Amino acid sequence: MNAPPAEAGEVMWLRTGEGLPAAGRREAAILARRVGLSDKRAADLALAVTEAATNLQRHAVDGALALRVTAFDARSAVELLALDSGPGITDLGAALRDGSSTAGTLGVGLGAIRRLADRFAIHTLPGRGTALYAGFDADPAPGPGPDPAAEVGGLTRPISGETQCGDTWAVREEPLGSPHLLAMMCDGLGHGPLAARAADAARLAFRNSRATDPALVLADIHRGLKGTRGAALAVARIDVPTRRVSLCGVGNIATFVLGAESRQTLMSTPGIVGHNVSRTQTFTADLPPGSVLVMHSDGLNSRWQPDQFRGLTAQIPALIAAQLLWQAGTRRDDAGIVVVKVPS
Ligand SMILES: [Mn+2]
């Protein structure tokens, strides 16, 4: 999977409605050109988008496609997410088997999408919805390299009616090449272009900071956000060998260590990064094998519980982020989430 450094990029959201397959194909073609997919792979992507869109259109309560380009570790890809609010797939195994008779149900075409994609993942919640991930790599699959220190994924969605998003995230190694990761989740105040500008400034300051302590990284970002609207923002440091997380957050960013059946909260303190940051506090926690670090903005309702998301922590971070954003997110605010998983 994706190894850091990783950053939120532009995400194209397309909601279910007339013409979703055509709109999805159009967007996919633009992204395929941008990352240099071969004609063959671009056609495969278009086919997968058509299957996913048709599926949503015909069978889902409410749904959306999210398409984006990712470029991690010198490997670029087009990623497709298909998200819906129900009805869920009762027999996922049958739906994924090629040629199985699932006509008339939500699972149509899943086997085809899995076969077409370089990477595929799916998580379904009976009655509540399905999240599907399919990745199409621009370059031939790299040979087996060293295991990445961690897998990272995230997702942002602007408030209804806006195209730019004030929520953003980034993850990178610090120092570079070390098993120490820094992760940032940022919610630029308000929404629209001015919030997006604060988010851009936060990503830049995060990238340029050479500090290792999360409170000092946050202080660097605080300076970088002067003159912007400011943001709620949290920085986590993950020490991979010891599986320890330390977190310094200011304002309303929710941070959790999420296990299969548990959720531990790491607190932030009040304030606005870029405006008023008085006394910060750093909290630490263990990241037990099988658990993931989740950071999200208040565009997601933080009252969600692990038992509502059975099996989700076993999925790839990009799918964990997408399912949580879709199920807990509101359209009345920018929404953003980042998930980091340290392999067992
Ligand atoms: Mn917000």
Side-chain angles (χ1 to χ4, degrees):
M1 256 321 286
N2 304 323
E7 284 190 347
E10 196 189 337
V11 184
M12 182 54 59
W13 285 90
L14 302 163
R15 269 185 103 169
T16 44
E18 270 308 302
L20 181 65
R25 276 195 301 273
R26 208 155 42 234
E27 200 55 44
I30 293 167
L31 299 185
R33 267 198 302 280
R34 198 180 294 167
V35 302
L37 286 196
S38 68
D39 289 351
K40 164 79 172 73
R41 292 307 279 153
D44 291 344
L45 170 63
L47 198 53
V49 166
T50 302
E51 293 285 357
T54 308
N55 216 353
L56 288 181
Q57 196 100 312
R58 287 196 187 145
H59 307 296
V61 171
D62 175 28
L65 296 181
L67 284 154
R68 65 179 165 190
V69 163
T70 54
F72 300 153
D73 235 17
R75 179 171 75 177
S76 45
V78 178
E79 294 186 332
L80 160 68
L81 292 160
L83 307 167
D84 68 62
S85 303
I89 301 167
T90 39
D91 191 345
L92 200 51
L96 287 168
R97 271 193 296 280
D98 282 339
S100 72
S101 162
T102 49
T105 73
L106 187 63
V108 176
L110 290 185
I113 298 171
R114 181 166 67 168
R115 201 173 53 244
L116 290 163
D118 291 303
R119 281 160 288 121
F120 177 88
I122 188 163
H123 182 254
T124 189
L125 295 165
R128 290 167 46 220
T130 301
L132 173 154
Y133 166 98
F136 292 78
D137 293 335
D139 315 302
D147 280 345
E151 297 175 353
V152 175
L155 189 61
T156 57
R157 181 178 66 186
I159 186 172
S160 268
E162 287 284 355
T163 51
Q164 288 182 279
C165 190
D167 286 6
T168 194
W169 59 269
V171 181
R172 61 182 185 78
E173 294 168 346
E174 183 59 45
L176 193 64
S178 75
H180 305 286
L181 300 176
L182 289 171
M184 175 193 75
M185 184 70 229
C186 164
D187 176 353
L189 255 59
H191 49 79
L194 289 177
R197 228 177 64 195
D200 290 344
R203 272 198 317 279
L204 183 67
F206 176 77
R207 219 182 285 151
N208 289 339
S209 174
R210 289 285 74 86
T212 53
D213 182 283
L216 298 178
V217 177
L218 192 125
D220 283 341
I221 299 171
H222 177 54
R223 277 186 289 278
L225 286 187
K226 293 255 158 69
T228 74
R229 271 194 181 180
L233 196 143
V235 175
R237 180 171 178 80
I238 300 149
D239 185 292
V240 173
T242 63
R243 307 190 74 100
R244 292 287 289 171
V245 183
S246 47
L247 187 277
C248 183
V250 169
N252 204 353
I253 298 290
T255 304
F256 305 106
V257 171
L258 174 65
E261 283 161 7
S262 63
R263 193 183 86 157
Q264 184 187 352
T265 303
L266 286 102
M267 302 297 291
S268 286
T269 52
I272 299 171
V273 176
H275 290 260
N276 58 304
V277 170
S278 41
R279 195 182 304 125
T280 60
Q281 262 185 285
T282 300
F283 297 93
T284 61
D286 287 320
L287 196 61
S291 66
V292 295
L293 180 72
V294 176
M295 302 167 80
H296 68 69
S297 73
D298 64 356
L300 281 73
N301 185 323
S302 60
R303 287 192 299 266
W304 59 268
Q305 290 299 325
D307 63 1
Q308 299 165 337
F309 293 93
R310 290 204 181 286
L312 189 58
T313 50
Q315 295 284 352
I316 60 169
L319 193 68
I320 297 171
Q323 184 69 295
L324 284 172
L325 185 146
W326 184 263
Q327 293 288 335
T330 169
R331 295 186 184 279
R332 294 182 303 277
D333 196 357
D334 292 339
I337 178 169
V338 61
V339 175
V340 181
K341 185 182 237 179
V342 173
S344 303

